Amino acid sequence: MDLNFNKNEDYNKLLVTDLNKRLSQLKLGGGKSKIEKEHAKGKLTARERIDYLLDTKSKSIEIGAFAGDGMYAAHGGCPSGGVVVKIGYIKGKQCVVVANDATVKAGAWFPITAKKNLRAQEIAIENKLPIIYLVDSAGVYLPMQDEIFPDKEHFGRIFRNNAQMSSLGITQISAIMGSCVAGGAYLPIMSDEAIIVDKTASIFLAGSYLVKAAIGETIDNETLGGATTHCELSGVTDYKAKDDADALEKIKSIMDKIGDFEKAGFSKIVSKKPKENPEDLYGLLPKSRADQYDMYEIIKRLVDNSEFEEYKADYGKSIITAYARIEGWAVGIVANQRKLVKNAKGEMQFGGVIYNDSADKATRFIANCNQKKIPLVFLQDVTGFMVGSKSEHSGIIKDGAKMVNAVSNSVVPKFTVIIGNSYGAGNYAMCGKAYDPRLIVAWPSAELAVMSGNSAAKVLLQIETASLKKKGETITEEKEAELLDKIKSRYDAQVSPYYAASRIWTDAVIDPTDTRDWISMGIEAANHAPIEKAFNMGVIQV
């Protein structure tokens, strides 16, 4: 290994250390004192409930851990969006678990909470996975009700999804383990089965204070909507549990009896570890997003036995297309090559740029994978499509549109890993969030933006200096440098993978060595949902 490898390794391992520190902090939710208060009530925390529920020593992945990170500072913050979402296994059956975190504003719903819950439901719907709700929430966070209440992607969409999932035969089980009030009361009752914990849980459209104010009736919350009321009088809930552990055991028992599912039939054989050491990923990935590197070496550390069958190896070299296996699952890989390559005409092509020939190749490969029913994995490190008169005259817009068309109409499940750059239309063509990947994750080295920080800062600087000059201000070199630093600092914060993850533009920021687990669990989830639609690209310019 050379000195450059060692420097890269040190840098990327520090990024992973930072990632783990951030995750450790987020896992405290509202803080240690709030956790202690939950324990004093005889309750488990959201994360403890999920850990108890999921099979011991089984794999799980967390969706949206960074949701809300750095947002809502004026309201005291909302770690992980006030809700924990994991894909894992209960009695050997893969499912989605959603747990309100009562240590964060009593589990109240912020705008990002709704977005994260909708993402969890989207995953369950796309993959026909059972979904478990562990309910403990004070309802909508009233100071921000205008951003969460009435719109299509707001709170009410949750219940619409409950109804649609029921009609699709997707199992939904709820456990009411604390507060469940107002409109939020519909979620567990629109599930297939509802469990309620005695004494610590309650469910009602209006609590005792509001009942007193509205109709003058004096009543306590337990009598109004506790476990005895709803299991013996109203029939709203189906099972009474003596405590959190008992409720979770009832969920396990129900899950244990669910029948098998109809499979999509994606190819899977016995998994083989990569021959090349996945730990090498830290040293192979350069510190600077502008530096070149060989994507083939990255792929070798991600695929079984470090083997892949390349499609059109000598054509369109700025994109690599290849068949491989990940944890035994057959995949079609579409990856940006990040080193300088020479085309058949002897012309040098920049790494990370999509050219006419590479867009054409990727389009045809995506079509092939759809015909063969092979899930697609996109490895993004893309600066965009090639610009300039030569590319424009060759029809780069047309070729790019064909690739976007193929990605958009693909019917096999897609999975996206943002390794480095994810800029502009390159993000779209390489299956960014807008193109419905089943899962989309970023490495700590990722950057998501319309363009790089340096390019954007220079453009914004020109605009700002022109504006200041119009006002009669003199712009010295020192003033210009100061403005550039200020603009770049602001822009760089927005291209961070954590900025994207906080807004759920990605599902997670992950350690590169966990990539195989995410893709394999994602394909296993997708295998629950048979493909019901034929691949058709519609009208395209040829």
Side-chain angles (χ1 to χ4, degrees), residues 140-256:
V140 167
Y141 183 63
L142 289 176
M144 302 187 77
Q145 65 85 26
D146 61 321
E147 297 181 46
I148 189 174
F149 167 61
D151 211 343
K152 183 177 178 180
E153 301 303 325
H154 285 177
F155 193 63
R157 189 78 169 182
I158 306 284
F159 316 131
R160 175 263 191 192
N161 287 350
N162 288 142
Q164 291 215 333
M165 280 192 279
S166 183
S167 72
L168 292 168
I170 297 170
T171 297
Q172 299 176 84
I173 303 168
S174 287
I176 304 154
M177 310 182 81
S179 297
C180 184
V181 300
Y186 289 109
L187 185 148
I189 310 312
M190 292 185 77
S191 299
D192 303 337
E193 297 182 83
I195 301 155
I196 185 168
V197 179
D198 196 20
K199 307 304 180 198
T200 57
S202 57
I203 177 171
F204 32 61
L205 294 182
S208 56
Y209 291 124
L210 186 52
V211 168
K212 177 70 173 176
I215 63 173
E217 181 183 1
T218 301
I219 189 170
D220 64 88
N221 282 340
E222 182 64 26
T223 306
L224 182 66
T228 299
T229 295
H230 286 310
C231 287
E232 298 180 19
L233 294 177
S234 70
V236 165
T237 51
D238 305 307
Y239 308 92
K240 184 195 288 188
K242 63 182 180 181
D243 54 24
D244 280 11
D246 188 33
L248 297 170
E249 287 294 343
K250 289 183 189 300
I251 294 172
K252 290 183 180 185
S253 180
I254 295 167
M255 286 293 296
D256 191 40

Side-chain angles (χ1 to χ4, degrees), residues 314-332:
D314 299 318
Y315 178 72
K317 293 181 179 181
S318 75
I319 285 183
I320 299 167
T321 49
Y323 300 108
R325 290 189 181 271
I326 294 178
E327 295 285 352
W329 293 103
V331 296

Side-chain angles (χ1 to χ4, degrees), residues 129-141:
L129 285 180
I131 184 166
I132 316 298
Y133 306 101
L134 307 180
V135 183
D136 193 346
S137 170
V140 167
Y141 183 63

Side-chain angles (χ1 to χ4, degrees), residues 214-478:
I215 63 173
E217 181 183 1
T218 301
I219 189 170
D220 64 88
N221 282 340
E222 182 64 26
T223 306
L224 182 66
T228 299
T229 295
H230 286 310
C231 287
E232 298 180 19
L233 294 177
S234 70
V236 165
T237 51
D238 305 307
Y239 308 92
K240 184 195 288 188
K242 63 182 180 181
D243 54 24
D244 280 11
D246 188 33
L248 297 170
E249 287 294 343
K250 289 183 189 300
I251 294 172
K252 290 183 180 185
S253 180
I254 295 167
M255 286 293 296
D256 191 40
K257 297 169 183 66
I258 293 175
D260 204 358
F261 57 92
E262 184 183 354
K263 296 175 176 64
F266 302 125
S267 173
K268 189 176 194 297
I269 61 173
V270 175
S271 172
K272 294 181 180 178
K273 293 181 179 180
K275 278 185 179 177
E276 302 291 344
N277 187 1
E279 294 279 331
D280 291 347
L281 291 169
Y282 303 125
L284 292 167
L285 193 68
K287 177 178 178 180
S288 170
R289 294 278 52 79
D291 287 353
Q292 303 281 303
Y293 65 94
D294 191 349
M295 184 62 79
Y296 286 110
E297 296 303 318
I298 301 294
I299 294 171
K300 287 176 185 177
R301 273 79 182 171
L302 297 178
V303 301
D304 288 10
N305 215 34
S306 299
E307 294 177 344
F308 52 89
E309 180 83 18
E310 190 171 3
Y311 172 79
K312 287 185 176 291
D314 299 318
Y315 178 72
K317 293 181 179 181
S318 75
I319 285 183
I320 299 167
T321 49
Y323 300 108
R325 290 189 181 271
I326 294 178
E327 295 285 352
W329 293 103
V331 296
I333 294 173
V334 181
N336 303 111
Q337 174 57 292
R338 274 308 315 269
K339 72 173 188 178
L340 283 168
V341 293
K342 187 182 291 186
N343 66 16
K345 298 176 182 178
E347 301 164 330
M348 296 305 297
Q349 296 182 338
F350 296 104
V353 178
I354 302 175
Y355 290 80
N356 298 74
D357 52 0
S358 49
D360 174 66
K361 177 173 79 170
T363 301
R364 294 174 68 175
F365 181 73
I366 291 166
N368 282 348
C369 287
N370 274 270
Q371 185 161 347
K372 295 177 175 68
K373 205 161 71 172
I374 300 173
L376 286 158
V377 175
F378 292 83
L379 302 179
Q380 278 198 21
D381 195 342
V382 57
T383 53
F385 287 87
M386 190 58 190
V387 297
S389 60
K390 185 175 181 181
S391 289
E392 297 293 359
H393 296 171
S394 298
I396 188 64
I397 297 174
K398 179 178 66 177
D399 290 326
K402 286 192 288 187
M403 183 175 173
V404 170
N405 193 312
V407 172
S408 302
N409 286 300
S410 181
V411 295
V412 295
K414 306 182 291 276
F415 302 89
T416 302
V417 182
I418 305 173
I419 291 175
N421 303 324
S422 181
Y423 298 151
N427 169 280
Y428 303 157
M430 290 294 293
C431 197
K433 181 65 182 290
Y435 292 81
D436 299 320
R438 296 292 177 96
L439 293 173
I440 177 170
V441 297
W443 290 1
S445 48
E447 291 188 358
L448 288 80
V450 171
M451 62 181 75
S452 71
N454 283 329
S455 298
K458 289 172 183 176
V459 171
L460 292 168
L461 177 66
Q462 291 175 38
I463 295 169
E464 194 156 339
T465 53
S467 175
L468 291 171
K469 286 175 181 177
K470 280 184 180 179
K471 294 175 184 177
E473 293 190 32
T474 302
I475 307 298
T476 63
E477 286 186 10
E478 290 78 9

